[in-house]
Amino acid sequence: MTADEYHIARAVLALANTVTRTHNAHLQDLGITTQQADALTFFDDYPNSTISALKDAQHIRHATAQMLIQRLVKRGLIQLTVDPNDHRAKLVQLTPQGSALRQRLKHKGSHTGERLLTGFSETETRQFYEALHKAYENLTHEEDE
């Protein structure tokens, strides 16, 4: 590893840690955990999905997904209905309260992204995204081998 590669890797790690800290502070302000926020995002993006779909998308155990769903139901953020095609399965929808919280999550995320990209031109923003995406693909591709 060259000195430049080392410094770039350290800078990316520092950026990731800062974004994570900012994200966690926003979630704490909203009184929600990362897993709960991820579940709300999933069910907003894929309404009427099942608990199993969440489990597969988030790469978590079924018991973990069920416990997460129970907490969100208890908080009034989601509701369950019986799947008409499979009476054993439950379809998950956001409640109005869950939708409102999801909108707040989107706003906080947009605010973080806006701060992150302050001073970037449109071209620099696109290049930054493409470079991040390529770097991510490089690392995740290595894990598959």
Side-chain angles (χ1 to χ4, degrees):
M1 177 183 284
T2 67
D4 285 343
E5 289 168 339
Y6 173 79
H7 290 295
I8 290 169
R10 296 297 305 160
V12 169
L13 182 59
L15 176 61
N17 289 338
T18 302
V19 170
T20 300
R21 239 184 345 270
T22 302
H23 177 69
N24 289 341
H26 291 318
L27 294 179
Q28 187 175 20
D29 289 346
L30 296 174
I32 192 167
T33 68
T34 299
Q35 276 192 325
Q36 290 170 345
D38 290 346
L40 288 178
T41 299
F42 177 80
F43 290 117
D44 186 41
D45 292 344
Y46 303 100
N48 293 311
S49 291
T50 62
I51 297 170
S52 289
L54 174 69
K55 168 192 73 86
D56 293 341
Q58 301 294 323
H59 306 287
I60 57 177
R61 294 183 343 199
H62 192 74
T64 302
Q66 285 181 317
M67 198 166 42
L68 179 60
I69 294 302
Q70 287 172 359
R71 287 186 180 131
L72 291 171
V73 166
K74 189 175 182 177
R75 292 190 61 191
L77 299 174
I78 61 170
Q79 61 188 14
L80 304 175
T81 58
V82 175
D83 184 341
N85 300 318
D86 180 357
H87 294 284
R88 298 169 297 163
K90 302 277 194 265
L91 301 178
V92 182
Q93 306 88 28
L94 298 183
T95 63
Q97 183 183 351
S99 291
L101 183 57
R102 174 65 181 118
Q103 290 307 312
R104 290 177 66 197
L105 287 166
K106 281 182 185 178
H107 175 73
K108 294 275 190 180
S110 295
H111 179 71
T112 300
E114 184 179 301
R115 285 184 59 207
L116 177 72
L117 297 172
T118 297
F120 280 53
S121 69
E122 191 174 315
T123 299
E124 290 169 328
T125 298
R126 187 181 69 256
Q127 290 171 337
F128 183 62
Y129 173 77
E130 289 169 358
L132 287 174
H133 181 72
K134 186 174 184 176
Y136 174 79
E137 290 295 319
N138 288 345
L139 289 178
T140 57
H141 179 70
E142 282 183 11
E143 290 176 0
D144 294 338
E145 294 177 350

